Structures are given as C-alpha cells and as structure tokens.
Amino acid sequence: MGIIISLPVSLLLFWLVLKPKKADPFPKGGLWRLLIAGALSTVVAAILSQTFSLIIAAIRIGPANVAETINRMRTDMAAAGDFLQSLSFNKKRSPLMTLLSTMITAGLLEELCKYYACRAAIRKKGMVRTWMDALICFTAVGLTFQILENLVYGGSYGIIVAILRNLAPGHFIFGVIMGWYYGKYLIAGEKTYRFQCILWPALIHTLYDTGLNLMPNYDADAGTGQIYIAMGLLAFVGAFVMAVIIIVKLVRWHKDGKLDTPIPDASGEPAG
C-alpha cells in the first residue's frame, strides 16, 4: 500500500511540469532521455551514498573496531551486527556530525548526480530552447529521482512515510530551483548562476534532511530533547510551504510566459 500511495502526487507534478510541452514537444526521444537520466542518477547516488555512509560509519567506530567487525563477520554475522549496535548505531549522533554526513551523502551527492545526469540529457539538439525548457528538464529528472526513491521508502517504511513524502516533495522543489538557475545561466552566460543551481538545492536538501534525521535524537528524559522534534517539524512544514509556493509560481509562469525567453544557443550551453 505504501508503494501505491507514493506515486500520485509525483505523477500529478510530472503532468503539471510537462504541460507546456504539449504545444512545443521535445525532440524525438527527448523525454526518455530525461527519464533515463533521472533513473541513472538515482542508482549512482544510491551506490555512492552507501559507500560514503560506510566510510563515515568506519570513521565513527574507529579502525580497530572495523577490523574486529570484519573478523566477527567471517564467523557469525549476527554477532557482528550486535557488536556494531553496541558500538555506535544505537547511539545518537551530534547535530554537527548529522549535518556533515547528510551534506555528503544526500545534499551534495544527490544534487550533483542529478545535475550532471540532466546536463548529459539536454545536450541533444532542441532539448532546451527556452528558460522554461531548462526548468522542465531539471525538474523532470528530479521527479524521476523522487518517484524511484519514494517507491523504495513507501515499500520499506509504510503508508505514513509515503504520505509525508508526498506532502513534502523534496526532489520536485530542488529540480525547479536547479532548472530556474540553470536556465538563467544559459541566458545570461554568467557562471555564478550555474554555481547557484547546485548550491541552493544542495543547501536546502541538506537542511531539510538534517532536520528530519535529528528527530530520533529526541529523549523524553532530557530537558532539551524536544528541540529536535521541533526542528524536524519545521523542516517538514517548510518543505510543504515551499512546494505549494513553487506550484503556484509554475502555474503563473505557464500562463504569463515569463520563462519563455529563448536561449541564444539551444545546445544546453550558453552562447559564446
């Protein structure tokens, strides 16, 4: 059931984002390029994220304990798991450690994977002819990432998590922001916009995930534990409000043609 609930909002957002392309479609195979780019970025990000997570875990428990864990795994996997639990994984991480690990394994990593995957997809001639096209392409890649990720989370953690992820569609938000700045970069040719198209999605992604990741630090017996619950709720509400604002702006941009500004060189790179 969690898997089924994971899909509707993302599919609806896909329809909203792609609506302008009915009158001005992508070149043949263009949409498939974006879908494949989104899928590949999801797989690559998952592999790299797990790799970095293991490295961070190894740093946390120390080299000696890593060697001890490997030795135990050779004879008794259950004992190795219990050993790891006793060392670190049942202990609360500091806010700074949570922020840094989230920035590495989610904020920067996932946004860079989506950015470069979309850059590769839009190199096909005719994919990006206007500012709006750039926004649509990056958002389509982000939504593909979001759908696949939601399927995993919905299937693994159930209905409640699936509903919450629908109400706060993070990769949709990040995709729109990334596409807006990349389109501006293509028009203006200023590298600061290309930098910002990665910076802001990565920063917002990191802060959002950090707020949620700190919630398990809540301790009813600790006088200050409630702050982590408040931070998580603030991150969720902030993402929900941001999604609503972006949806409203998308509808307006579609109607008034504000982002229909043509790009001088429709090759996915700025003129000159």
Side-chain angles (χ1 to χ4, degrees), residues 115 119 131 134 138 174 176-201 270:
Y115 171 79
R119 281 283 303 274
W131 189 354
F138 279 91
F174 313 142
V176 171
I177 295 173
M178 188 177 288
W180 192 93
Y181 276 104
Y182 195 79
K184 186 71 172 177
Y185 159 67
L186 292 178
I187 292 171
E190 298 179 17
K191 291 184 179 180
T192 181
Y193 292 118
R194 185 173 63 180
F195 174 70
Q196 289 183 73
C197 88
I198 299 173
L199 171 66
W200 297 119

Side-chain angles (χ1 to χ4, degrees), residues 10-84:
S10 295
L11 294 177
L12 182 61
L13 291 173
F14 233 124
W15 172 82
L16 174 64
V17 169
L18 292 174
K19 193 176 180 181
K21 301 307 294 179
K22 289 183 178 179
D24 181 28
F26 287 119
K28 186 176 180 180
L31 180 57
W32 280 108
R33 291 174 66 91
L34 297 173
L35 296 176
I36 292 171
L40 288 176
S41 67
T42 308
V43 173
V44 172
I47 294 171
L48 293 178
S49 179
Q50 288 298 317
T51 302
F52 284 120
S53 294
L54 289 172
I55 293 173
I56 291 171
I59 293 172
R60 287 174 60 200
I61 67 177
N65 288 322
V66 171
E68 176 64 19
T69 301
I70 293 173
N71 289 332
R72 291 178 182 238
M73 288 174 63
R74 292 173 179 171
T75 57
D76 190 342
M77 287 294 294
D82 292 339
F83 180 63
L84 284 173

Side-chain angles (χ1 to χ4, degrees), residues 116-220:
Y116 284 109
C118 190
R119 281 283 303 274
I122 64 177
R123 287 187 178 277
K124 181 179 176 65
K125 186 176 181 180
M127 285 290 291
V128 178
R129 295 188 287 266
T130 65
W131 189 354
M132 177 58 80
D133 283 343
L135 186 148
I136 290 172
C137 288
F138 279 91
T139 307
V141 169
L143 280 170
T144 304
F145 193 108
Q146 178 174 294
I147 288 172
L148 295 176
E149 193 175 68
N150 281 359
L151 288 174
V152 173
Y153 277 89
S156 301
Y157 301 108
I159 297 174
I160 300 300
V161 170
I163 292 174
L164 293 176
R165 289 182 67 85
N166 272 299
L167 292 174
H171 291 288
F172 162 72
I173 296 171
F174 313 142
V176 171
I177 295 173
M178 188 177 288
W180 192 93
Y181 276 104
Y182 195 79
K184 186 71 172 177
Y185 159 67
L186 292 178
I187 292 171
E190 298 179 17
K191 291 184 179 180
T192 181
Y193 292 118
R194 185 173 63 180
F195 174 70
Q196 289 183 73
C197 88
I198 299 173
L199 171 66
W200 297 119
L203 179 61
I204 296 169
H205 192 166
T206 298
L207 294 176
Y208 173 66
D209 279 20
T210 299
L212 298 182
N213 290 338
L214 283 173
M215 290 182 77
N217 277 11
Y218 171 74
D219 186 349

